[in-house]
Amino acid sequence: MSRNTVRAWSLVHKWTSLVCTVFLLMLCVTGLPLVFHDEIDGLTRHEAPIVAQTGQPLLDLDQVLDTALKARPAEVGLFMSFDTDRPVVNVTSGPRPDAPETQMHFVSIDQTNGKMLTPSTASPVGKVMDFILRLHTDMFLGLPGYLFLGFMGFLFFIAIVSGLVIYAPFMRKIAFGTVRASRSTRLKWLDYHNLLGVVTAAWVIVVGLTGVINTLSTPILQFWKTDQLAEMTAPYKGKPVPIQLASIDAAVKTAQAAAPGMRVQFVAFPGGSFSSNHHYAVFLQGATPATQRLLTPALIDAETGQLTAVRRMPWYAQALLLSQPLHFGDYGALPLKLLWAVLDIVTIIVLGSGLYLWLARRRTPAHDAVIPPPEAAETAR
């Protein structure tokens, strides 16, 4: 590789890194507690464990919905989701079917006795985790925040690739893993920056690209709704939300019968953002670790209770569904999350050292300046 080519890659690395570093530091710092969000949520639960006894009848979903709406008589059901580790049903309601998120109300109901549970987000820790999640995902800016952070993630990917390119000639002059601690402080940190950056490059690329995909969740889901969801519900186009809805419990059972071996993850009610005006959208997931992240929506006519269509999510939606847990290390148990946390901390060091190297070079007089990364190989001669 010619010297001019290396210089060009060095400029790409320098400026893409400088533009995104502050935001990537924020994402890494906020992402660290989010890796352990399940564990933190478990610690903040103060209610006694809920376990269904063998043979104990559970409330059906219509009874659960009635219980939730009795406390909110002026509202309608919007979503229903299900805890995987306990017999608890979560009901989201709002003043109208297309209510915005700010007007939604969330309640968890014990399916063994119909009692309402206090959500963990009501605790100070839960509120802090909600704040961290919003800061990490969109900086409280909604879709513009998502897209902006996605662009920062894309710049970070370019910075990683360009860093690997300019590190190649450096490796020809010095043994891998060498840290010249006896030289200047800046040169020592340059070696740490290069070494840690190369070691974590594969992980950072995976987490960075999955993060970029996650920021596109709104456009991806909107495209799915205008593409496949619209195609499946075309015969019902223009129909209003039914005044009298069919049994939600029967709708879920119909969906499960159409997709045997799958379990229900959540249900979107008619008129909401994940269904049509005339359907319950029952989203089912696989029962194995390999398939539980992939969703298959079943559309149930909310007026008659009849099955309209069942179709797996398209590849672009599946890419989003697979990216979300991979980004936070949710595919494995605690050991994988601990590995994710260690790599996150190392990435913080890489980002911080890169910022230090740039600031230190600007403060260093020209006659004392340390040669920048593309030319650092010369210092090893």
Side-chain angles (χ1 to χ4, degrees), residues 256-331:
Q256 289 177 309
M262 304 187 77
R263 60 175 298 274
V264 181
Q265 187 189 65
F266 77 98
V267 181
F269 284 65
S273 57
F274 286 88
S275 61
S276 74
N277 280 348
H278 208 76
H279 290 88
Y280 290 117
V282 182
F283 287 82
L284 304 115
Q285 60 184 167
T288 67
T291 60
Q292 65 180 354
R293 306 293 181 177
L294 302 176
L295 298 181
T296 298
L299 300 181
I300 309 298
D301 189 313
E303 190 170 42
T304 66
Q306 300 298 310
L307 177 69
T308 295
V310 179
R311 184 184 298 183
R312 290 187 63 182
M313 299 288 276
W315 67 268
Y316 52 85
Q318 291 188 21
L320 173 63
L321 295 170
L322 293 172
S323 293
Q324 290 172 337
L326 183 59
H327 185 70
F328 290 110
D330 281 350
Y331 275 111

Side-chain angles (χ1 to χ4, degrees), residues 43-368:
L43 291 174
T44 57
R45 285 183 182 174
H46 301 297
E47 69 268 13
I50 301 171
V51 180
Q53 302 299 320
T54 303
Q56 176 185 6
L58 299 177
L59 297 178
D60 65 40
L61 300 184
D62 293 305
Q63 292 173 312
V64 170
L65 181 62
D66 288 342
T67 300
L69 295 183
K70 280 180 181 178
R72 314 284 295 188
E75 297 186 351
V76 296
L78 303 178
F79 299 100
M80 184 176 284
S81 62
F82 308 86
D83 284 12
T84 58
D85 58 345
R86 55 183 188 160
V88 171
V89 180
N90 310 294
V91 178
T92 302
S93 60
R96 60 182 189 277
D98 60 346
E101 185 177 350
T102 53
Q103 297 180 9
M104 294 180 183
H105 178 261
F106 179 90
V107 63
S108 297
I109 297 177
D110 183 344
Q111 206 174 356
T112 65
N113 56 27
K115 290 183 179 180
M116 294 187 182
L117 308 176
T118 302
S120 60
T121 51
S123 70
V125 175
K127 292 179 179 179
V128 170
M129 290 300 292
D130 277 351
F131 176 86
I132 292 174
L133 179 61
R134 285 294 308 276
L135 182 62
H136 184 86
T137 55
D138 66 359
M139 301 187 299
F140 300 92
L141 297 175
L143 181 58
Y146 276 107
L147 298 179
F148 177 79
L149 290 178
F151 181 62
M152 291 300 103
F154 178 69
L155 290 182
F156 189 42
F157 171 72
I158 297 176
I160 296 165
V161 173
S162 58
L164 293 174
V165 171
I166 62 178
Y167 191 60
F170 178 79
M171 282 293 297
R172 290 197 293 267
K173 298 293 183 178
I174 190 170
F176 178 76
T178 298
V179 175
R180 292 163 290 181
S182 61
R183 305 288 290 274
S184 68
T185 300
R186 185 176 182 275
L187 190 57
K188 178 180 68 176
W189 275 106
L190 172 63
D191 289 341
Y192 278 128
H193 178 81
N194 289 338
L195 174 61
L196 295 177
V198 169
V199 169
T200 60
W203 177 84
V204 171
I205 288 174
V206 169
V207 173
L209 289 181
T210 53
V212 171
I213 294 173
N214 289 341
T215 64
L216 300 175
S217 59
T218 298
I220 287 174
L221 292 175
Q222 186 60 43
F223 182 72
W224 170 75
K225 286 187 287 187
T226 58
D227 177 30
Q228 296 208 357
L229 181 60
E231 181 181 322
M232 289 188 288
T233 60
Y236 297 84
K237 186 176 181 180
K239 286 191 175 183
V241 176
I243 298 175
Q244 186 67 36
L245 296 180
S247 164
I248 180 65
D249 192 76
V252 167
K253 289 178 179 177
T254 298
Q256 289 177 309
M262 304 187 77
R263 60 175 298 274
V264 181
Q265 187 189 65
F266 77 98
V267 181
F269 284 65
S273 57
F274 286 88
S275 61
S276 74
N277 280 348
H278 208 76
H279 290 88
Y280 290 117
V282 182
F283 287 82
L284 304 115
Q285 60 184 167
T288 67
T291 60
Q292 65 180 354
R293 306 293 181 177
L294 302 176
L295 298 181
T296 298
L299 300 181
I300 309 298
D301 189 313
E303 190 170 42
T304 66
Q306 300 298 310
L307 177 69
T308 295
V310 179
R311 184 184 298 183
R312 290 187 63 182
M313 299 288 276
W315 67 268
Y316 52 85
Q318 291 188 21
L320 173 63
L321 295 170
L322 293 172
S323 293
Q324 290 172 337
L326 183 59
H327 185 70
F328 290 110
D330 281 350
Y331 275 111
L334 186 59
L336 181 61
K337 293 187 177 186
L338 291 172
L339 175 61
W340 246 239
V342 170
L343 292 170
D344 186 285
I345 293 171
V346 173
T347 303
I348 292 174
I349 296 173
V350 172
L351 291 168
S353 60
L355 191 59
Y356 160 76
L357 290 169
W358 180 70
L359 293 174
R361 185 173 182 231
R362 288 176 61 86
R363 291 197 302 264
T364 303
H367 60 279
D368 293 330

